[in-house]
Amino acid sequence: MAGKKTGKRKRRKSQLRVFVVSLLIVLFAGSVAMLAYSETRTPKTTKSPIIMDFDGLSQTEYTDYADDRADADITDVSNGLMSEETDIEAGTQEQATAVDEMLAENERLYNEAVSKGENVYLLNCEDESRVTFAFAGDILLDDGYAMMFRYRSRGSDINDTFSADLLERMRRADVFMLNNEFPFSRRGTPTEGKTFTFRANPDNVEMYEQLGVDIVSLANNHAYDFGKDALLDTFTTLETAGIPYVGAGRDLNEAKKPVYFIANGMKISIVSATQIERNAVPDTKEATMNSPGVLRCMDPSALLEVIAEAKASSDFVILYIHWGTESQEGTDWLQDKQAPIYAEAGVDLIIGDHPHCLQKLDIVSGVPVAYSLGNYWFNSKTQNSCLIEVGINKDGMEYFQFVPCIQEDCRTRHLEGAQKEEVLNYMRNLSPNVQIDSEGYVTFGR
């Protein structure tokens, strides 16, 4: 997958050069018009202040003076405009040079990553000062369960399934990530004795393009529900669709590989793992040196190696982790134990999922943690959900926004008004160590 660009259609190329050229043309045209106007105007000898200042001059003397003054005004205006144009041109040239340097750095970072065999993707961002990431929780595209059944019965209309403003946020983000809580396959048999087993038709991956999905995590307890072949089909389906995945692979080396995004002169990495199925022989197989599976972190050793690798070669490290206890709004002992371990190992942001409900926002050893994003579009329950939007620049995390949503009637929508405030208050009560303002922007204490 190294060397492959993301398939998302919303990638915007930089329009700075077009803006600069347009600005210079407008300024030049404006200055020409002003000069033409100044040269054709006649002195206004009837203005009372001038008549008062030059009372006693003959009409000829006054007219000569006014003509000289007008010529001087034209020269002053012209010089001023030329000076402004020179300043603007210098500023825009400086901006253009900075953009060229940034693009050169992107290319250098990209080529370096490709030469090392890394999973790397080059982004064209709407804003050249930041990279915007959006994160959501669990999604299920299995036609045998409520979400897809209702989606099909309603005409398979994505606009009737997610609210318009939420779709806009997902598509506008430079990188949108969620948890792929199932395999894509037509093969395999369900895991014996497992209460819920999921499998989605590979054709359903088209929904990811409609949502603007750029990367998914496969590190969860349902990736292996239909066995080895179904997991292998999942890799192929996502690769064919041009969607990177993290947290699973055809062998351990592949499962441990971070995914890197390069944009705005930065290299940002995403790593993923799961600690669910905490028994000695889990249903979801762990990847080995010669067999496919997920990256597990009940024992954090392997994940810590991945974090160290990502930290050594990137500016910002994001951990998307499958952990916690289902339907429990409080964090469990292993979340509490491991969050500081990963924070101190060098990750810059921790995003969690699996509990199928919202959990607290917190800061651990200086690192922001969203312990659980809940269900995003997963089952027929009515429950609070969210989208997390994060802006990253060269100084680190610029902003973190909690966007309140609700999963209801097999739809997901962005909340407004009293419902929005109710979810924000719920999160404030869950999260005493952070401040959440009226728009969901979060300030993390130290």
Side-chain angles (χ1 to χ4, degrees), residues 200-253:
N201 187 322
D203 294 341
N204 292 352
V205 75
E206 69 178 4
M207 287 186 68
Y208 281 171
E209 182 178 359
Q210 296 181 64
L211 294 176
V213 175
D214 297 287
I215 180 173
V216 298
S217 172
L218 295 177
N220 58 63
N221 56 305
H222 288 285
Y224 212 88
D225 277 2
F226 278 72
K228 172 183 173 180
D229 289 341
L231 181 59
L232 292 173
D233 289 344
T234 303
F235 302 148
T236 301
T237 299
L238 292 168
E239 289 163 3
T240 301
I243 298 174
Y245 55 86
V246 66
R250 293 177 176 87
D251 56 37
L252 182 58
N253 287 332

Side-chain angles (χ1 to χ4, degrees), residues 1 31 53 55 80 102 132 219 264 275 281 293 344 354 360 379 394:
M1 291 170 61
S31 58
D53 288 342
D55 190 26
M102 181 194 72
T132 305
N264 298 351
Q275 55 169 242
V281 186
E344 290 162 13
H354 173 68
K360 69 179 178 179
N379 59 24
K394 288 194 172 183

Side-chain angles (χ1 to χ4, degrees), residues 149-157 160 408-411:
F149 176 80
R150 295 296 294 276
Y151 175 73
R152 299 297 185 204
S153 67
R154 291 167 173 163
S156 301
D157 184 0
D160 184 48
E408 182 180 35
D409 192 25
C410 296
R411 296 181 173 99

